[in-house]
Amino acid sequence: MEGDIAQMGQFIGAGLASVGMGGAAIGVGTVAGNYLAGALRNPSAAASQTATLFIGIAFAEALGIFSFLVALLLMFAV
């Protein structure tokens, strides 16, 4: 009985940690949307902002990967 409760807690914790992956998806959408809005307003400056776009996407995706790793650790290592 106690093992079932502990396993249930692991799965609930992993599910809550997975919410960060949805946050990363929202972050990537926000970064790309703001870049596109700026590029449409000023097309001549869009080429110089491409590196900033990729850096922002990389940071947002890194947070999603970290939350995925936390979920895996909660499920299999704890």
Coordinates of all heavy atoms in Angstrom, one line a residue:
M1 N 0.8 -1.2 0.0 CA 0.0 0.0 0.0 C 0.9 1.3 0.0 O 0.6 2.2 -0.7 CB -0.9 0.0 1.2 CG -1.9 1.1 1.3 SD -3.2 0.9 0.1 CE -4.2 2.3 0.5
E2 N 1.9 1.3 0.8 CA 2.8 2.5 0.9 C 3.6 2.7 -0.4 O 3.8 3.8 -0.8 CB 3.7 2.4 2.1 CG 3.1 2.8 3.4 CD 4.1 3.1 4.4 OE1 5.2 3.5 4.1 OE2 3.7 2.9 5.6
G3 N 3.9 1.6 -1.1 CA 4.6 1.7 -2.3 C 3.8 2.3 -3.4 O 4.3 3.0 -4.3
D4 N 2.5 2.0 -3.4 CA 1.6 2.6 -4.4 C 1.4 4.1 -4.1 O 1.4 4.9 -5.1 CB 0.2 1.9 -4.3 CG 0.2 0.5 -4.7 OD1 1.1 0.1 -5.4 OD2 -0.7 -0.3 -4.2
I5 N 1.4 4.5 -2.9 CA 1.3 6.0 -2.6 C 2.5 6.7 -3.0 O 2.5 7.8 -3.6 CB 0.9 6.2 -1.1 CG1 -0.4 5.6 -0.8 CG2 1.0 7.7 -0.8 CD1 -0.8 5.7 0.7
A6 N 3.7 6.1 -2.8 CA 4.9 6.7 -3.2 C 5.0 6.8 -4.7 O 5.5 7.8 -5.3 CB 6.1 5.9 -2.7
Q7 N 4.6 5.8 -5.4 CA 4.6 5.8 -6.9 C 3.6 6.8 -7.4 O 3.9 7.5 -8.4 CB 4.3 4.4 -7.4 CG 4.5 4.3 -8.9 CD 4.3 2.9 -9.4 OE1 3.7 2.1 -8.7 NE2 4.7 2.7 -10.6
M8 N 2.5 7.0 -6.8 CA 1.5 8.0 -7.2 C 2.1 9.4 -7.0 O 2.0 10.2 -7.9 CB 0.3 7.8 -6.3 CG -0.8 8.9 -6.7 SD -2.3 8.8 -5.6 CE -1.6 9.2 -4.1
G9 N 2.9 9.6 -5.9 CA 3.5 10.9 -5.7 C 4.6 11.2 -6.7 O 4.7 12.3 -7.2
Q10 N 5.3 10.1 -7.2 CA 6.3 10.3 -8.2 C 5.6 10.8 -9.5 O 6.1 11.7 -10.2 CB 7.0 9.1 -8.5 CG 8.0 8.7 -7.4 CD 8.7 7.4 -7.7 OE1 8.3 6.6 -8.5 NE2 9.9 7.2 -7.0
F11 N 4.5 10.1 -9.9 CA 3.8 10.4 -11.1 C 3.2 11.8 -11.1 O 3.2 12.6 -12.1 CB 2.8 9.4 -11.5 CG 3.4 8.1 -11.9 CD1 2.7 6.9 -11.5 CD2 4.6 8.0 -12.6 CE1 3.3 5.7 -11.9 CE2 5.1 6.8 -13.0 CZ 4.5 5.6 -12.6
I12 N 2.6 12.2 -9.9 CA 2.1 13.5 -9.8 C 3.2 14.6 -9.9 O 3.0 15.6 -10.6 CB 1.3 13.7 -8.5 CG1 0.0 12.8 -8.6 CG2 0.9 15.1 -8.2 CD1 -0.8 12.8 -7.3
G13 N 4.3 14.4 -9.3 CA 5.4 15.3 -9.3 C 5.9 15.4 -10.8 O 6.3 16.5 -11.2
A14 N 6.0 14.3 -11.5 CA 6.5 14.3 -12.8 C 5.5 15.1 -13.7 O 5.9 15.8 -14.6 CB 6.7 12.9 -13.4
G15 N 4.3 14.9 -13.5 CA 3.3 15.6 -14.3 C 3.3 17.1 -14.0 O 3.2 17.9 -15.0
L16 N 3.5 17.5 -12.8 CA 3.6 18.9 -12.5 C 4.9 19.5 -13.1 O 4.9 20.7 -13.5 CB 3.6 19.2 -11.0 CG 2.2 18.9 -10.3 CD1 2.3 19.0 -8.8 CD2 1.2 19.8 -10.9
A17 N 6.0 18.7 -13.1 CA 7.2 19.2 -13.7 C 7.1 19.4 -15.2 O 7.8 20.2 -15.8 CB 8.4 18.3 -13.3
S18 N 6.2 18.6 -15.8 CA 6.1 18.6 -17.2 C 5.3 19.9 -17.7 O 5.3 20.2 -18.9 CB 5.3 17.4 -17.7 OG 6.1 16.3 -17.5
V19 N 4.7 20.6 -16.7 CA 4.1 21.9 -17.1 C 5.1 22.9 -17.6 O 4.7 23.7 -18.5 CB 3.3 22.4 -15.8 CG1 2.8 23.8 -16.1 CG2 2.2 21.5 -15.4
G20 N 6.3 22.7 -17.2 CA 7.4 23.6 -17.7 C 7.6 23.5 -19.2 O 8.0 24.4 -19.9
M21 N 7.3 22.3 -19.8 CA 7.4 22.1 -21.2 C 6.4 22.9 -22.0 O 6.7 23.5 -23.0 CB 7.4 20.6 -21.6 CG 8.6 19.9 -21.1 SD 8.6 18.2 -21.7 CE 7.5 17.5 -20.4
G22 N 5.2 23.1 -21.4 CA 4.2 23.9 -22.0 C 4.6 25.4 -21.9 O 4.4 26.2 -22.9
G23 N 5.2 25.7 -20.8 CA 5.7 27.1 -20.7 C 6.8 27.4 -21.7 O 6.9 28.5 -22.2
A24 N 7.6 26.4 -22.0 CA 8.7 26.6 -23.0 C 8.1 26.8 -24.4 O 8.5 27.7 -25.2 CB 9.6 25.5 -23.0
A25 N 7.0 26.1 -24.7 CA 6.3 26.3 -26.0 C 5.7 27.7 -26.1 O 5.8 28.3 -27.1 CB 5.3 25.2 -26.1
I26 N 5.1 28.1 -25.0 CA 4.6 29.5 -25.0 C 5.7 30.5 -25.2 O 5.5 31.5 -25.9 CB 3.8 29.7 -23.7 CG1 2.5 28.9 -23.7 CG2 3.4 31.2 -23.6 CD1 1.8 28.9 -22.4
G27 N 6.8 30.3 -24.5 CA 8.0 31.2 -24.7 C 8.5 31.3 -26.1 O 8.8 32.4 -26.6
V28 N 8.6 30.1 -26.7 CA 9.1 30.1 -28.1 C 8.2 30.8 -29.0 O 8.5 31.6 -29.9 CB 9.4 28.7 -28.6 CG1 9.6 28.6 -30.1 CG2 10.6 28.1 -27.8
G29 N 6.9 30.6 -28.8 CA 5.9 31.3 -29.6 C 5.9 32.8 -29.4 O 5.8 33.6 -30.4
T30 N 6.1 33.2 -28.2 CA 6.2 34.7 -27.9 C 7.4 35.3 -28.6 O 7.3 36.4 -29.2 CB 6.2 34.9 -26.4 OG1 5.1 34.3 -25.8 CG2 6.3 36.4 -26.1
V31 N 8.6 34.6 -28.5 CA 9.8 35.1 -29.1 C 9.7 35.2 -30.6 O 10.0 36.3 -31.2 CB 11.0 34.3 -28.7 CG1 12.2 34.6 -29.5 CG2 11.3 34.4 -27.2
A32 N 9.2 34.2 -31.2 CA 9.0 34.2 -32.6 C 8.0 35.2 -33.1 O 8.2 35.9 -34.1 CB 8.7 32.8 -33.1
G33 N 6.9 35.3 -32.4 CA 5.9 36.3 -32.7 C 6.3 37.7 -32.6 O 6.0 38.5 -33.5
N34 N 7.1 38.0 -31.6 CA 7.6 39.4 -31.4 C 8.6 39.7 -32.5 O 8.7 40.8 -33.0 CB 8.2 39.6 -30.0 CG 7.1 39.7 -29.0 OD1 6.0 40.1 -29.3 ND2 7.4 39.4 -27.8
Y35 N 9.4 38.7 -32.9 CA 10.4 38.9 -33.9 C 9.7 39.2 -35.3 O 10.1 40.1 -36.0 CB 11.3 37.7 -34.1 CG 12.2 37.8 -35.3 CD1 13.3 38.6 -35.4 CD2 11.9 37.0 -36.5 CE1 14.1 38.6 -36.5 CE2 12.6 37.1 -37.6 CZ 13.8 37.9 -37.6 OH 14.5 38.0 -38.7
L36 N 8.7 38.4 -35.5 CA 7.9 38.6 -36.8 C 7.2 39.9 -36.8 O 7.2 40.6 -37.8 CB 6.9 37.5 -36.9 CG 6.1 37.5 -38.2 CD1 7.1 37.3 -39.4 CD2 5.1 36.3 -38.2
A37 N 6.7 40.4 -35.7 CA 6.0 41.7 -35.6 C 7.0 42.8 -35.9 O 6.8 43.7 -36.6 CB 5.3 41.9 -34.3
G38 N 8.2 42.7 -35.3 CA 9.2 43.7 -35.5 C 9.8 43.7 -36.9 O 10.1 44.7 -37.5
A39 N 9.9 42.5 -37.5 CA 10.4 42.4 -38.9 C 9.4 43.0 -39.8 O 9.8 43.5 -40.9 CB 10.7 40.9 -39.2
L40 N 8.1 42.8 -39.6 CA 7.1 43.4 -40.5 C 7.1 44.9 -40.3 O 6.8 45.6 -41.3 CB 5.8 42.8 -40.2 CG 5.6 41.3 -40.6 CD1 4.3 40.8 -40.2 CD2 5.8 41.2 -42.1
R41 N 7.4 45.4 -39.2 CA 7.4 46.9 -39.0 C 8.7 47.5 -39.6 O 8.6 48.6 -40.2 CB 7.4 47.3 -37.5 CG 6.1 47.1 -36.9 CD 6.1 47.7 -35.5 NE 5.0 47.2 -34.7 CZ 5.0 46.7 -33.5 NH1 6.1 46.6 -32.9 NH2 3.9 46.2 -32.9
N42 N 9.8 46.8 -39.5 CA 11.1 47.4 -40.0 C 11.8 46.3 -40.7 O 12.7 45.7 -40.1 CB 11.9 48.0 -38.9 CG 13.0 48.8 -39.4 OD1 13.3 48.9 -40.6 ND2 13.8 49.3 -38.4
P43 N 11.5 46.0 -42.0 CA 12.2 44.9 -42.6 C 13.7 45.0 -42.8 O 14.5 44.0 -42.8 CB 11.5 44.8 -44.0 CG 10.3 45.6 -43.8 CD 10.5 46.6 -42.8
S44 N 14.2 46.2 -42.8 CA 15.7 46.4 -43.0 C 16.4 46.0 -41.8 O 17.6 45.7 -41.9 CB 16.0 47.9 -43.4 OG 15.6 48.7 -42.3
A45 N 15.8 46.0 -40.6 CA 16.5 45.7 -39.4 C 16.3 44.2 -39.0 O 16.9 43.7 -38.0 CB 16.0 46.5 -38.2
A46 N 15.5 43.5 -39.8 CA 15.2 42.1 -39.4 C 16.5 41.2 -39.5 O 16.6 40.3 -38.7 CB 14.1 41.6 -40.3
A47 N 17.3 41.4 -40.5 CA 18.5 40.6 -40.7 C 19.4 40.7 -39.5 O 20.1 39.7 -39.1 CB 19.2 41.0 -42.0
S48 N 19.5 41.8 -38.9 CA 20.5 42.0 -37.7 C 19.9 41.4 -36.4 O 20.7 41.2 -35.5 CB 20.8 43.5 -37.5 OG 19.6 44.2 -37.1
Q49 N 18.6 41.1 -36.4 CA 18.0 40.6 -35.2 C 17.9 39.1 -35.2 O 17.3 38.5 -34.3 CB 16.7 41.2 -35.0 CG 16.7 42.7 -34.7 CD 17.5 43.0 -33.4 OE1 17.4 42.3 -32.4 NE2 18.4 44.0 -33.5
T50 N 18.3 38.4 -36.3 CA 18.1 37.0 -36.4 C 18.9 36.2 -35.3 O 18.4 35.2 -34.8 CB 18.5 36.5 -37.8 OG1 17.8 37.3 -38.8 CG2 18.2 35.0 -38.0
A51 N 20.1 36.7 -35.0 CA 20.9 36.0 -34.0 C 20.2 36.1 -32.6 O 20.1 35.1 -31.8 CB 22.3 36.6 -33.9
T52 N 19.6 37.3 -32.3 CA 18.9 37.4 -31.1 C 17.7 36.5 -31.0 O 17.3 36.0 -30.0 CB 18.4 38.9 -30.9 OG1 19.5 39.7 -31.1 CG2 17.8 39.2 -29.6
L53 N 17.0 36.3 -32.2 CA 15.9 35.4 -32.2 C 16.3 34.0 -31.8 O 15.7 33.3 -31.0 CB 15.3 35.4 -33.6 CG 14.3 34.3 -34.0 CD1 13.0 34.6 -33.3 CD2 14.1 34.2 -35.4
F54 N 17.4 33.5 -32.4 CA 17.8 32.1 -32.1 C 18.3 32.0 -30.7 O 18.1 30.9 -30.1 CB 18.9 31.7 -33.1 CG 18.3 31.5 -34.5 CD1 18.9 32.1 -35.6 CD2 17.2 30.7 -34.7 CE1 18.4 31.9 -36.9 CE2 16.7 30.5 -36.0 CZ 17.3 31.1 -37.1
I55 N 18.9 33.0 -30.1 CA 19.3 32.9 -28.7 C 18.1 32.9 -27.8 O 18.1 32.1 -26.9 CB 20.2 34.1 -28.4 CG1 21.6 34.0 -29.1 CG2 20.4 34.2 -26.9 CD1 22.5 35.2 -29.0
G56 N 17.1 33.7 -28.1 CA 15.9 33.6 -27.3 C 15.2 32.3 -27.4 O 14.7 31.7 -26.4
I57 N 15.1 31.7 -28.6 CA 14.5 30.4 -28.7 C 15.3 29.3 -28.0 O 14.7 28.4 -27.4 CB 14.3 30.1 -30.2 CG1 13.3 30.9 -30.9 CG2 14.0 28.6 -30.5 CD1 13.1 30.8 -32.4
A58 N 16.6 29.4 -28.1 CA 17.5 28.4 -27.4 C 17.3 28.5 -25.9 O 17.2 27.4 -25.2 CB 18.9 28.7 -27.7
F59 N 17.2 29.7 -25.3 CA 16.9 29.8 -23.8 C 15.6 29.2 -23.4 O 15.4 28.6 -22.4 CB 17.1 31.2 -23.4 CG 18.5 31.7 -23.2 CD1 18.8 33.0 -23.6 CD2 19.4 30.9 -22.7 CE1 20.1 33.4 -23.5 CE2 20.7 31.3 -22.5 CZ 21.1 32.6 -22.9
A60 N 14.6 29.5 -24.3 CA 13.2 29.0 -23.9 C 13.2 27.5 -24.0 O 12.6 26.8 -23.2 CB 12.2 29.7 -24.9
E61 N 13.8 26.9 -25.1 CA 13.9 25.5 -25.2 C 14.7 24.8 -24.1 O 14.4 23.7 -23.7 CB 14.4 25.1 -26.6 CG 13.4 25.3 -27.7 CD 12.2 24.4 -27.5 OE1 12.4 23.2 -27.1 OE2 11.1 24.8 -27.8
A62 N 15.7 25.5 -23.6 CA 16.5 24.9 -22.6 C 15.7 24.8 -21.3 O 15.8 23.7 -20.6 CB 17.7 25.8 -22.3
L63 N 14.8 25.7 -21.0 CA 14.0 25.6 -19.8 C 13.0 24.4 -20.0 O 12.7 23.7 -19.0 CB 13.2 26.9 -19.6 CG 14.0 28.0 -19.2 CD1 13.2 29.3 -19.1 CD2 14.7 27.8 -17.9
G64 N 12.5 24.2 -21.2 CA 11.7 23.0 -21.4 C 12.4 21.7 -21.3 O 11.9 20.7 -20.7
I65 N 13.7 21.7 -21.7 CA 14.5 20.4 -21.6 C 14.8 20.2 -20.1 O 14.8 19.0 -19.6 CB 15.8 20.6 -22.4 CG1 15.4 20.5 -23.9 CG2 16.8 19.5 -22.1 CD1 16.5 20.9 -24.8
F66 N 15.1 21.3 -19.3 CA 15.3 21.1 -17.9 C 14.1 20.5 -17.2 O 14.2 19.7 -16.3 CB 15.7 22.4 -17.3 CG 17.1 22.9 -17.7 CD1 17.4 24.2 -17.7 CD2 18.1 22.0 -18.1 CE1 18.6 24.7 -18.1 CE2 19.3 22.4 -18.5 CZ 19.6 23.8 -18.5
S67 N 12.9 21.0 -17.5 CA 11.7 20.5 -16.9 C 11.5 19.0 -17.3 O 11.0 18.3 -16.5 CB 10.5 21.4 -17.2 OG 10.2 21.2 -18.6
F68 N 11.8 18.7 -18.5 CA 11.7 17.3 -18.9 C 12.6 16.4 -18.1 O 12.3 15.3 -17.7 CB 11.9 17.2 -20.4 CG 11.9 15.8 -21.0 CD1 10.7 15.1 -21.0 CD2 13.0 15.2 -21.4 CE1 10.6 13.8 -21.5 CE2 12.9 13.9 -22.0 CZ 11.7 13.2 -22.0
L69 N 13.8 16.9 -17.9 CA 14.8 16.1 -17.1 C 14.4 15.9 -15.7 O 14.5 14.9 -15.1 CB 16.2 16.8 -17.2 CG 16.9 16.7 -18.5 CD1 18.2 17.5 -18.5 CD2 17.2 15.2 -18.9
V70 N 13.8 17.0 -15.1 CA 13.3 16.9 -13.7 C 12.1 15.9 -13.7 O 12.1 15.1 -12.7 CB 12.8 18.3 -13.2 CG1 12.0 18.1 -12.0 CG2 14.0 19.2 -13.0
A71 N 11.3 15.9 -14.7 CA 10.2 14.9 -14.7 C 10.7 13.5 -14.8 O 10.3 12.5 -14.1 CB 9.3 15.2 -15.9
L72 N 11.7 13.3 -15.6 CA 12.3 11.9 -15.7 C 13.0 11.5 -14.4 O 12.9 10.3 -14.0 CB 13.4 11.9 -16.9 CG 12.8 11.9 -18.3 CD1 13.9 11.9 -19.3 CD2 11.9 10.7 -18.5
L73 N 13.7 12.4 -13.8 CA 14.4 12.1 -12.5 C 13.3 11.8 -11.5 O 13.5 10.8 -10.7 CB 15.2 13.3 -12.1 CG 16.5 13.5 -12.8 CD1 17.2 14.8 -12.4 CD2 17.4 12.3 -12.6
L74 N 12.2 12.5 -11.5 CA 11.2 12.2 -10.5 C 10.6 10.8 -10.7 O 10.2 10.1 -9.8 CB 10.1 13.2 -10.5 CG 10.5 14.6 -9.8 CD1 9.4 15.6 -10.0 CD2 10.7 14.4 -8.3
M75 N 10.4 10.4 -12.0 CA 9.8 9.1 -12.3 C 10.7 8.0 -12.1 O 10.3 6.9 -11.6 CB 9.3 9.1 -13.7 CG 8.0 10.0 -13.9 SD 7.5 9.9 -15.6 CE 7.2 8.2 -15.9
F76 N 12.0 8.1 -12.4 CA 12.8 6.9 -12.4 C 14.0 6.9 -11.4 O 14.5 5.9 -11.1 CB 13.4 6.7 -13.8 CG 12.4 6.5 -14.9 CD1 12.2 7.4 -15.9 CD2 11.6 5.4 -14.9 CE1 11.2 7.2 -16.8 CE2 10.6 5.2 -15.8 CZ 10.4 6.1 -16.8
A77 N 14.4 8.0 -10.9 CA 15.5 8.1 -10.0 C 15.1 8.2 -8.5 O 15.9 7.9 -7.7 CB 16.5 9.2 -10.4
V78 N 13.9 8.7 -8.2 CA 13.5 8.9 -6.8 C 12.8 7.7 -6.3 O 12.0 7.1 -7.0 CB 12.7 10.2 -6.7 CG1 12.2 10.4 -5.3 CG2 13.5 11.4 -7.1

